[in-house]
Amino acid sequence: MVVSVSEMMDDAPEVSVSGFNLSVSSIKVTEAIKKENSLVFVVGAQEFPSKKQHFVDRKFEDFEWLQQCLLMPDGIPGLQGIIFPPLPAKPCAFQSNTQEKMIKQLGLLGLDDDWKTYCMALEMYLQLVVSHTTLGKNQVLRSFFTQTQGPGGQAGRKGILNRLSQALEEIKKENHQDVDEFFRNERASNSSLVRLTKATTERLIAVVRTQQNIALACGHFSTTLHLGVGPDEDPAAKTFSKLSLKLSEIIIIVKKNFECVAENNLNILGLGLDLVSRYEESEKEMLFRRTCKLVELEQNSKNLEKAKPAKKANMEEIKKASEKEFRHISDIARLEIQKLHRVRVEVFQQCLTSWCEKQLHAARETSSILSQHLRAFKQLDSTE
Amino acid sequence: MAAERDPPPAGSVGHADLREVEDGEDLFVSTASTLESSPSSPEPASLPVEDVGPSSNGPKPAEILLDDDQEDLFAEATEEVSLDSPEREPILSDGPSPAITPVTPTALIAPRAEPNVIMVSGMFEQSLDELEEEAAGDSFDIQISVSDPEKVGDGMNAYMAYKVTTKTSLTVFSRNDFSVKRRFSDFLGLHSKLASKYMHIGYIVPPAPEKSIVGMTKVKVGKEDLSSTEFVEKRRSALERYLMRTVKHPVLLQDPDVLQFLESSEFCFKGRRVHCPEKSCCTYAVVPSCNFSTCGLPVTSNKSGYSLLTTFVNKLPRAVSTQALSGAGILRMVNRAADAVNRMTIKMNEADVWFEEKQQQFENLDQQLRKLHGSVEALVCHRKELSVNTASFARSAAMLGNSEDHTALSRALSQLAEVEEKIDQLHQEQAYADFYLFSELLGDYVRLITAVKAVFENRMKTWSKWQDAQLMLQKKREAESKLQFTNKPDKLQQAKDEIKEWEAKVQQGERDFEQISKTIRKEVGRFEKQRVNDFKVAIIKYLESLVQTQQQLIKYWEAFLPEAKAIA
């Protein structure tokens, strides 16, 4: 994987989950297999230091279950302040899949027919989860990586990370004035970044699609050239056929180049942009949770003030509890936000560097092959 | 005096009247005899092409009533053409005739060491042969460029004038480097003339670029947008290719119309004194060069250009409805209809398998080229789309960079936007390369093959004419033998005369057929060579453009890499 998550996370490359040591970099989602009507992902991980390998089949529902388990408040203060590593969207039923539908559902991840990009996104998700200081300690991870039977189907309890409906009150809450300047700024900047990153990702999707189309058109052109070549006795026709075949070869080179460039765009730049984009959405959700808590706190304070003496003590308790919770959330959130900022910069750095290197390499290779062809062709021309 | 003679109408492509070719040949015969008697020169024999052109300029200035021209003129009636570019220049009986000034008198004729029978068409062919050899002897050194499109006039009467520059060291031209201004309809007019002179004897005349009402209207109306600039550029390039192809043909290069087109600055653009042969008076046509006199419309000295146009249009309601088709389009349409009829009726007894095979090959080639053209067009389309999308992506990245707080990241994102913009430029250039190198080339060849097919059709028609002459001869002989038993000496004599006449025609028909077959063989050979060469050149250019694109990309990526690394 291009983007090295463990380096980004500043954490140890191995994680300990209650005696179960896992090497972060060994976590792989190797392939997606179509079984019956659903997609099954092969998830691999290696224990440290025993080097014991685990391979399990997981469906998307299992990932969803994992995500929800992570969110279940179980006594960790300020859990809601965590910016959760974003899970890719659910893959649609692939009976009637067109690229349009896939892109609508999955965004950039839908551009790859082979699901390779999607697997890479899942892989990154797992690595991010496992290497998170808090989340990585969750017990469920063990069973996720080792149990043969997938845990999915138990997606009963809805976690707090559900897509909150944009009801009018929610929107009002979203825009609720913040008490803290840091958070005020962050919310504003996050809001604009979410929009811009999403727009950039969408434009990149358009570029990659066109590049894929060009590759197809090249293939078509090349085939047509080939089909026109038949047995010729006429010397002129023979030469023409030779030329056609030569051109056909060149067009194939162009095609391969486009495929390579598109792939780099998709799997390096695209993945990075997509991750950043979804992370920003995740941050948005976290900020929203915190704002909700703020609203709750303010409500409780109001209630306290309005409360009758008999209930005052009770109200005080409630208010104090929510105040404490809010503080925890804010503390964790602050750390998470700072970490995210760092992560963002690092993701961009790594993926832009790697992408540039790959594109440079592709250009050099193509240039050298084409130059060879040109030289050979010119020689042929001068001898004929 | 030419006024005495009333030569038959000259035809346009595909309307080869039986009568007309014949009479044209009669023209030859007398020409040949006249020429035979003139003092010979020691120079190598070459009949100037102009003198033997069967349908237009005669050896002496001759009037040619151009009936069929009416149709041609109609065909030219589009908003763009209005009054210009007649199919024929008026050939004047006296006075300096700007239309036919032979550009350079080529060699005089040497007496042929031939027996009594004047083999006129043989002479013709031989001389053209020699012309070709001469031309081949000259290293082919002529470069034509079409440039500087300039809009002349306003509104719907506006047109584009192009500068045609010729650089050459060939002796057939009087200068080495010269240029003239021409408009699109002039090119069409040139093609029309060449087609009518040469197609029916088997020469493949390169077709002129096609008209486009939509494209041209935009330009006229003054829309200065990308699509009209592209349209003008596409047309300019097409005109250039057309001229180069035309002059590459050794026979066409020597044609006076071609030479005049390239050299004469008087051609078509200025009003001049025109002797109207019909009315036998002098009129001043203010309107550039259209000799309405020959189509029967009045030309009076006071009419302005506009009112002439109205008169013209009003008299020809039919023309208006055909405005949607170009002149070339109409001709093609009519020809196709005529050919379809011919194909049904002419069942040629093909003695020569070569022709049958070639026709099939050309049919196949036609299909293949059309398919390829389709493929390339799709590719060009996608490339343009890619350019648009890349530019869009670049803008997004720039906005993202602007919102980014982290300085180094912000700069890197801005750099990313710039790189993508540059790549967009590259995509555009590459799209143009794809387009001009292949798409237009393939289109040109599809049109060329239409001309080739026409030439094959003409051979069939020539054969058919020969067969008809044989039938007629048969009939005459039968008539004569019947008359033998009646006592009508004068009728008998007439019948005998007619037999002689038709015997000559049969002989001529056979000669024509052999001639056209021979010419076609040569032309096809030339065409094949040309085709191979053109594609070879295109492929090399294409490869070069591809390599260049990649090398540019390398430069861009190399510049961007340190920026990316410097983010953190």
Side-chain angles (χ1 to χ4, degrees), chain B residues 506-517:
Chain B
V506 166
Q507 279 183 348
Q508 188 59 54
E510 185 172 6
R511 278 197 296 269
D512 284 347
F513 180 70
E514 279 167 18
Q515 186 54 54
I516 195 177
S517 301

Side-chain angles (χ1 to χ4, degrees), chain A residues 272-304:
Chain A
L273 262 180
D274 178 66
L275 179 66
V276 167
S277 179
R278 283 182 295 118
Y279 240 128
E280 280 161 6
E281 296 262 4
S282 186
E283 185 193 356
K284 183 175 170 184
E285 282 169 4
M286 181 280 282
L287 289 169
F288 182 67
R289 287 196 296 272
R290 181 184 159 277
T291 310
C292 288
K293 211 56 184 192
L294 176 63
V295 167
E296 192 190 299
L297 175 59
E298 287 175 355
Q299 190 63 43
N300 288 346
S301 303
K302 276 205 200 105
N303 291 348
L304 178 60

Side-chain angles (χ1 to χ4, degrees), chain B residues 435-494:
Chain B
F435 180 69
Y436 283 110
L437 284 176
F438 285 117
S439 182
E440 289 285 86
L441 180 66
L442 289 167
D444 284 350
Y445 267 90
V446 166
R447 278 189 291 275
L448 264 170
I449 289 188
T450 317
V452 173
K453 284 187 186 173
V455 150
F456 274 86
E457 293 286 326
N458 286 340
R459 178 173 168 268
M460 274 175 53
K461 286 186 200 140
T462 313
W463 180 85
S464 162
K465 209 181 112 183
W466 174 31
Q467 298 303 307
D468 290 347
Q470 284 184 328
L471 282 172
M472 190 56 100
L473 178 62
Q474 183 90 345
K475 278 201 196 120
K476 295 293 178 191
R477 286 205 173 123
E478 285 170 6
E480 194 237 6
S481 56
K482 279 198 195 128
L483 281 172
Q484 293 271 7
F485 300 109
T486 64
N487 193 16
K488 292 181 186 162
D490 32 317
K491 281 226 170 111
L492 189 61
Q493 184 54 42
Q494 186 187 12

Side-chain angles (χ1 to χ4, degrees), chain A residues 4-111:
Chain A
S4 170
V5 168
S6 45
E7 284 169 28
M8 285 191 311
M9 290 298 149
D10 260 354
D11 293 333
E14 292 83 34
V15 200
S16 178
V17 184
S18 57
F20 172 65
N21 299 337
L22 212 54
S23 155
V24 174
S25 55
S26 75
I27 296 174
K28 300 245 181 297
V29 176
T30 45
E31 53 183 318
I33 310 168
K34 292 186 181 145
K35 268 190 187 157
E36 292 150 7
N37 206 23
S38 58
L39 221 49
V40 170
F41 302 96
V42 176
V43 178
Q46 192 179 51
E47 274 191 65
F48 178 88
S50 65
K51 304 252 175 161
K52 181 169 169 201
Q53 295 264 20
H54 296 277
F55 284 103
V56 287
D57 287 349
R58 292 285 175 260
K59 296 194 180 158
F60 185 77
E61 288 75 23
D62 302 329
F63 284 85
E64 267 183 327
W65 172 88
L66 175 62
Q67 183 79 323
Q68 280 158 18
C69 289
L70 295 172
L71 317 173
M72 265 189 262
D74 62 335
I76 299 174
L79 185 72
Q80 297 192 32
I82 293 181
I83 301 174
F84 287 84
L87 186 62
K90 182 174 177 153
C92 39
F94 52 87
Q95 219 67 311
S96 57
N97 268 0
T98 56
Q99 204 184 45
E100 292 284 346
K101 268 197 201 159
M102 297 247 287
I103 292 173
K104 204 164 164 204
Q105 180 90 355
L106 304 171
L108 188 130
L109 302 176
L111 274 173

Side-chain angles (χ1 to χ4, degrees), chain B residues 290-310:
Chain B
C290 178
N291 56 327
F292 282 103
S293 54
T294 59
C295 74
L297 287 179
V299 172
T300 63
S301 44
N302 291 327
K303 281 230 169 109
S304 73
Y306 283 179
S307 54
L308 257 178
L309 172 58
T310 354

